[in-house]
Amino acid sequence: MKNTTLLFLIKKDSDKVSDVLLAMKKIGFGVGRYNGVGGKVKEGETIEEAAARETKEEIGVDVDVKNIVKMGEIEFRFEDKVEWNQMVHIYTTEVWNGEPVESEEMKPYWYKVEDIPYDRMWEDDKYWLPKVLNGEYVKGYCVFDSNQKMIEHSL
């Protein structure tokens, strides 16, 4: 099972997350859905280095690995596409350099936490993302059927 990353840029107000950066996937796996930025870990790099690299590639923002906080691990399994199976390592950061910009792959948007468009995201996100944004560590798994509908999960 491959390791992948998701990183969420966050802004806080009085120690509580008020805003989160989500990006609309424009091509490839997950096209048409909002999510954090991230992707596959390349040979020779740490998971944290992959999160930082993918953030730069996808939204043009520089993130130092010392400023990212691991918030969870979720195993995603797909019944009919085992090549999609992955262990996703979830991170947040409050510190970055640059302004998020659109790339060929992703179009970033800032959302107030109460306005997150869960209906335009993977079905599982509504279960674990609020916990992450509330400062909770998440660990679990999600199983999807051939229509990319979640049929089982545990957090």
Side-chain angles (χ1 to χ4, degrees), residues 40-46 49 53:
K40 297 181 197 99
V41 178
K42 291 183 177 178
E43 189 174 329
E45 71 182 349
T46 67
E49 289 168 342
R53 176 186 49 77

Side-chain angles (χ1 to χ4, degrees), residues 111-125:
Y111 285 96
K112 293 288 186 195
V113 169
E114 60 271 16
D115 296 329
I116 292 173
Y118 288 109
D119 61 329
R120 298 184 67 195
M121 300 173 76
W122 284 93
E123 186 179 355
D124 59 278
D125 291 350

Side-chain angles (χ1 to χ4, degrees), residues 25-152:
K25 182 80 171 179
K26 295 167 52 180
I27 59 172
F29 182 77
V31 68
R33 292 186 170 120
Y34 285 98
N35 213 333
V37 294
K40 297 181 197 99
V41 178
K42 291 183 177 178
E43 189 174 329
E45 71 182 349
T46 67
I47 295 169
E48 291 79 10
E49 289 168 342
R53 176 186 49 77
E54 288 281 353
T55 301
K56 178 68 171 179
E57 290 174 5
E58 292 183 349
I59 61 169
V61 170
D62 290 307
V63 175
D64 190 317
V65 295
K66 73 178 194 275
N67 293 322
I68 65 175
V69 178
K70 187 156 188 182
M71 296 302 297
E73 294 178 357
I74 301 177
E75 181 181 330
F76 290 93
R77 295 187 301 249
F78 295 83
E79 284 191 329
D80 67 330
K81 298 225 186 249
V82 294
E83 66 273 18
W84 288 2
N85 292 352
Q86 56 194 282
M87 176 62 75
V88 178
H89 300 265
I90 302 162
Y91 297 89
T92 61
T93 188
E94 298 177 63
V95 181
W96 61 88
N97 289 313
E99 287 297 318
V101 295
E102 184 174 355
S103 68
E104 179 182 307
E105 188 173 355
M106 304 290 270
K107 186 170 185 175
Y109 297 92
W110 282 103
Y111 285 96
K112 293 288 186 195
V113 169
E114 60 271 16
D115 296 329
I116 292 173
Y118 288 109
D119 61 329
R120 298 184 67 195
M121 300 173 76
W122 284 93
E123 186 179 355
D124 59 278
D125 291 350
K126 65 186 173 191
Y127 297 104
W128 60 265
L129 184 56
K131 293 177 184 299
V132 166
L133 297 177
N134 197 38
E136 298 174 48
Y137 190 91
V138 296
K139 189 166 181 130
Y141 70 89
C142 299
V143 181
F144 292 84
D145 69 12
S146 60
N147 296 314
Q148 298 178 14
K149 174 116 175 101
M150 189 171 64
I151 56 173
E152 183 181 343

